[in-house]
Amino acid sequence: MKKSLKKAVLYITTGAMLIGGAFSAKAASRYDGQWCVENNGYWFKLTEDGSTFLANTWYWIKDSDGVIRCYYFDQNGWLVTNQTVGEYTLNEQGQWVVDGKVQTKSDAETEYATHTDLSAGKTAAAASSSAPAAAASSKTKASSKNVVKATSNGDSPANATFTQEYENSAISGGTVSNNWANFKMSFGSTVPTSDKSGTGTDFFIDAENDSCLYVSYFKLDKYAAGNTNIDGFITGFLADPRGFKGGVKASDVTFGDYSFKQLTKAKATPYGNVFDQAYIRQVEGTNYAMVIVVEKNGFDEDYSSALNTMKRIR
């Protein structure tokens, strides 16, 4: 599971560009990153292991040709292409355009990241990884929009076969219910955000000044063909830089009506270690794992009170 990019980027630089102020930032800090491609989806990592990367933000990137262009990454970290975000238009390469012209900046005008081969510690020259190629017809579409998505952040349960047709959770105030995954729980006054993009993320709480929570569904055979058990999935999830790499298995935990496999991962902060958590169970009658990830981001909230309200609804 990717780190909460809204926070990850802001921890590194307070100049991360957001909608509304996206195109007025002045040079403040610069650092290296690297374009990556997976299953026809592009993302931009800021660390070699991919644990920190751009998401939920606009950002200027200096590609290998020396040109600084502006891109938008969705809340899961995938480059968005060929659509409008707010009032701004993105072309098939995910670059901000005005009247069809790609917008660029000079070194002195804006903060940016430089595309670099992080493993070699030098600016990458290979054209194949210097910037995104045009959107291919094989890219996954979310609804009717040509949004770059990939199964590495989750899967689309709607494409699976199981005993009950998939449906996203219904959210009413702070209460979440899902007939397919067979649970209902309450977050009190906190209202989660639904994600119906088809990436496998069901809903999330991406808090500005608190811990974050993400609920996603992944195929059990995501990491090993033919795998049908939850332990096999967990082995792969713990080895995946965009899963829970660096984590370890902990004791099983019960929330309401369900027992979950628990993973924990230490995160160093200026205030000492905090521990992110992942909770995993198999959705009955399906070949999918329900994965709940709580990213502490230096805060105390662990959502245990909400998770303990989890009840079966059928």
Side-chain angles (χ1 to χ4, degrees):
M1 181 73 62
K2 293 178 185 157
K3 183 172 178 57
S4 172
L5 262 279
K6 180 160 58 178
K7 282 196 167 58
V9 172
L10 293 177
Y11 277 149
I12 296 170
T13 167
T14 57
M17 296 186 298
L18 302 174
I19 294 174
F23 309 114
S24 60
K26 298 299 181 182
S29 64
R30 304 170 186 175
Y31 49 88
D32 293 333
Q34 183 174 343
W35 282 111
C36 303
V37 60
E38 267 180 59
N39 299 326
N40 291 322
Y42 288 90
W43 58 294
F44 194 84
K45 66 181 182 179
L46 300 174
T47 54
E48 185 176 353
D49 66 1
S51 61
T52 304
F53 50 93
L54 296 178
N56 199 28
T57 191
W58 293 90
Y59 216 83
W60 294 89
I61 296 173
K62 188 173 188 177
D63 292 316
S64 293
D65 59 4
V67 178
I68 302 173
R69 305 176 179 91
C70 192
Y71 301 89
Y72 182 74
F73 300 86
D74 71 13
Q75 61 99 13
N76 291 314
W78 299 112
L79 176 70
V80 177
T81 66
N82 200 31
Q83 68 171 285
T84 298
V85 177
E87 61 185 284
Y88 306 112
T89 301
L90 297 161
N91 66 12
E92 289 189 347
Q93 286 75 40
Q95 299 154 351
W96 173 42
V97 296
V98 176
D99 297 328
K101 183 179 179 180
V102 176
Q103 301 300 291
T104 63
K105 291 283 189 181
S106 69
D107 288 23
E109 289 181 294
T110 189
E111 170 189 285
Y112 62 86
T114 301
H115 169 63
T116 296
D117 181 350
L118 294 178
S119 63
K122 60 184 180 180
T123 300
S128 62
S129 61
S130 63
S137 59
S138 59
K139 285 181 178 175
T140 304
K141 290 186 178 181
S143 302
S144 61
K145 298 178 181 178
N146 187 20
V147 183
V148 178
K149 298 288 184 180
T151 56
S152 60
N153 184 59
D155 302 297
S156 177
N159 296 329
T161 300
F162 32 68
T163 57
Q164 180 166 321
E165 185 176 359
Y166 172 74
E167 59 184 77
N168 278 93
S169 288
I171 299 174
S172 177
T175 299
V176 178
S177 58
N178 189 307
N179 285 318
W180 174 73
N182 192 22
F183 73 85
K184 180 178 182 179
M185 61 178 157
S186 174
F187 290 91
S189 60
T190 300
V191 179
T193 299
S194 178
D195 185 342
K196 298 182 180 179
S197 62
T199 62
T201 301
D202 182 17
F203 66 89
F204 59 91
I205 298 171
D206 195 353
E208 281 288 348
N209 296 301
D210 212 332
S211 308
C212 299
L213 176 143
Y214 304 89
V215 175
S216 303
Y217 303 107
F218 297 82
K219 288 183 179 179
L220 290 178
D221 63 358
K222 174 178 175 62
Y223 301 107
N227 177 63
T228 59
N229 68 79
I230 203 73
D231 289 326
F233 167 81
I234 288 173
T235 297
F237 193 56
L238 285 170
D240 185 354
R242 304 177 76 186
F244 213 67
K245 188 172 182 178
V248 296
K249 295 179 182 178
S251 301
D252 292 354
V253 62
T254 298
F255 292 126
D257 291 338
Y258 288 105
S259 176
F260 287 83
K261 302 289 185 180
Q262 180 180 199
L263 311 179
T264 186
K265 178 166 57 175
K267 294 283 189 179
T269 76
Y271 310 103
N273 283 347
V274 295
F275 293 87
D276 290 349
Q277 307 290 338
Y279 307 106
I280 303 173
R281 73 175 178 94
Q282 183 173 355
V283 180
E284 307 99 306
T286 79
N287 60 337
Y288 275 81
M290 176 183 183
V291 178
I292 302 172
V293 172
V294 176
E295 294 179 344
K296 297 297 289 295
N297 298 316
F299 298 100
D300 293 331
E301 175 63 58
D302 60 8
Y303 298 98
S304 59
S305 59
L307 297 174
N308 277 318
T309 69
M310 189 176 295
K311 300 296 182 185
R312 299 175 190 270
I313 54 177
R314 60 176 172 83

